[in-house]
Structure formats: structure tokens, C-alpha cells
């Protein structure tokens, strides 16, 4: 089984719908992240959480919300999806306790908003 | 605003060639620089992490260097193989930005057999 699992892997939905993307990890890491990837722009940070009670906005948090249900689970919600949120979404984890820790990524969720 | 730039955006080489991918960043105050590989339909795989106090890291045929003063890193791939074909991403953990990564847009590498 993958260490960082994202569900669903693919999703097509309509403008205005509420969507939840889920991420679970078996690595025992404290830190979890949500990114989106757009062609030619690399990955951009949406939200991050350094422990269960810590939630922080990233570079592009508008239109998104998150929930850290447990150390192993971090969900990303789009309250009212719009077409420019069509992108590839990645969840990542890393150890806590300071920097210089590599991040470990899930396989991504391809989201299309019609 | 801290930024990471990767050149070239795409590269095509014959099998067996040695190659260099470039990454530049705007602020020398960093914790580390990381190189990732991304295969189509897959997530990112961490290749090498260079801490700010280090000059280079090696893993197999891969060697990454770091020059903080000039804001540059290179990823050297020796004796390239078709299996090396992927997108390579550079990411920097800037001190001012906290324990978060800023990514470049990536270099798409194709190794022809």
C-alpha cells in the first residue's frame, strides 16, 4: 500500500458543487500539505498543517478549506467549485521537529470543473 | 517574493549522454534545496536534499550541487537512460517562508533510445 494515499484519483464535477479531496498517510508524519499543480506553474501551496491542532494558509488558499481529522488524515474542500480550480492536486507529508526533512507525495487527484 | 526558476523547460537527449538541469532561486537564505522526479500520472519522488551547509549530494548516477551565494543548483545525470525520462522539479525551503517549499515549474526530460 502507498504511504500517502489520495482519494479520489480523478474527479469531474460541475461549477458550484462542493468537493472534498482526502489524504491519508501511514508514515507517522506530523506535517501534511496540500498543493495544486498547473501546467507551466509548478506546485503551489494551498494549506499546510504541522500537527492536528495547527492549520495554516499557504500561497493560494482562497476558495479552499481544510480539515485535519487526525494525525494521519488531512482533507481539502472546495466549497463552491469554479472552472479555474481545475488542476492536479497533491497531498504531501514530512516529519516534524525542524527543517531539512524531505516531503513525501501522494499520486495526486486530477480534478476537472466543468 | 521568493521564486525558483528552472532552465531549460524541456530537454531531449540521446541515451548515454551526460546532462545538467539548472535551478536558480532568488534568496540565498535557505534551509535546503530538494530535487524531485515526477512521472506521468504519479506523484513526486524525492531524489536528493541538499542542506544549506552542504555543497553537493550524490545518489547513484545523480549528483546535485548547491551554490547559495549565486542562488544556483544543478542536477547532473550521468549516462542517461530512457527510464530517466520524467519531469524534474527543484524546490527550495526559504528561511523567510518557514518550513515550506517553493517549487520551480520543472524540466521535462526525454531520453531517446
Amino acid at each position: 500500500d502507498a504511504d500517502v494515499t489520495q482519494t479520489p484519483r480523478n474527479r469531474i464535477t460541475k461549477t458550484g458543487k462542493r468537493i472534498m479531496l482526502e489524504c491519508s498517510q501511514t508514515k507517522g508524519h506530523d506535517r501534511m500539505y496540500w498543493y495544486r499543480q498547473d501546467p507551466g506553474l509548478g506546485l503551489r501551496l494551498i494549506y499546510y498543517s504541522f500537527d492536528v491542532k495547527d492549520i495554516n494558509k499557504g500561497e493560494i488558499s482562497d476558495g479552499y478549506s481544510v480539515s485535519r481529522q487526525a494525525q494521519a488524515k488531512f482533507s481539502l474542500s472546495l466549497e463552491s467549485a469554479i472552472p479555474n480550480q481545475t488542476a492536479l492536486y497533491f497531498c504531501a507529508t514530512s516529519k516534524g521537529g525542524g527543517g531539512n526533512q524531505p516531503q513525501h507525495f501522494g499520486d495526486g487527484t486530477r480534478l476537472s470543473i466543468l | 517574493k521568493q521564486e525558483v526558476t528552472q532552465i531549460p523547460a524541456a530537454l531531449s537527449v540521446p541515451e548515454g549522454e551526460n546532462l545538467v538541469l539548472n535551478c536558480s532561486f532568488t534568496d540565498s537564505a535557505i534551509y535546503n534545496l530538494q530535487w524531485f522526479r515526477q512521472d506521468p500520472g504519479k506523484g513526486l519522488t524525492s531524489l536528493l536534499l541538499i542542506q544549506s551547509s552542504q555543497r553537493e549530494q550524490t545518489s547513484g548516477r545523480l549528483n546535485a550541487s548547491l551554490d547559495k551565494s549565486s542562488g544556483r543548483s544543478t542536477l547532473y545525470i550521468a549516462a542517461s537512460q530512457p527510464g530517466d525520462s520524467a519531469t524534474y522539479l527543484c524546490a527550495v525551503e526559504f528561511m523567510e517562508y518557514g518550513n515550506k517549499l517553493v517549487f520551480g515549474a520543472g524540466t521535462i526530460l526525454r531520453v531517446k533510445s
Side-chain angles (χ1 to χ4, degrees), chain B residues 57-71:
Chain B
Q57 282 284 341
T58 298
S59 175
R61 294 182 293 109
L62 304 180
N63 176 276
S65 68
L66 175 64
D67 183 344
K68 280 193 309 178
S69 61
S70 66

Side-chain angles (χ1 to χ4, degrees), chain A residues 70-113:
Chain A
Q71 187 204 37
K73 295 184 181 295
F74 193 36
S75 300
L76 176 71
S77 294
L78 288 68
E79 297 301 325
S80 179
I82 56 177
N84 75 1
Q85 292 177 312
T86 293
L88 188 54
Y89 289 83
F90 287 105
C91 174
T93 73
S94 68
K95 288 184 181 179
N100 296 318
Q101 299 289 347
Q103 291 190 14
H104 301 264
F105 284 77
D107 285 343
T109 294
R110 187 168 297 279
L111 180 62
S112 297
I113 314 295

Side-chain angles (χ1 to χ4, degrees), chain A residues 28-71:
Chain A
H29 289 168
D30 289 324
R31 299 182 176 189
M32 298 187 75
Y33 310 81
W34 274 105
Y35 294 92
R36 67 176 277 175
Q37 185 178 34
D38 297 277
L41 292 180
L43 276 74
R44 292 180 291 168
L45 184 64
I46 305 172
Y47 270 95
Y48 63 102
S49 169
F50 282 177
D51 65 43
V52 174
K53 296 182 180 179
D54 176 73
I55 301 289
N56 302 282
K57 293 182 177 180
E59 181 185 359
I60 52 166
S61 60
D62 288 348
Y64 301 94
S65 63
V66 291
S67 173
R68 185 83 184 265
Q69 299 95 325
Q71 187 204 37

Side-chain angles (χ1 to χ4, degrees), chain A residues 13-32:
Chain A
T13 192
K14 295 181 179 180
T15 298
K17 294 290 188 180
R18 184 179 189 276
I19 302 160
M20 179 180 287
L21 308 183
E22 299 189 355
C23 177
S24 62
Q25 52 116 346
T26 59
K27 300 188 75 68
H29 289 168
D30 289 324
R31 299 182 176 189
M32 298 187 75

Side-chain angles (χ1 to χ4, degrees), chain B residues 29-46:
Chain B
I30 68 172
Y31 289 114
N32 61 70
L33 183 145
Q34 302 182 35
W35 283 95
F36 293 88
R37 169 184 172 137
Q38 184 178 19
D39 294 285
K42 291 289 187 179
L44 280 66
T45 300
S46 179

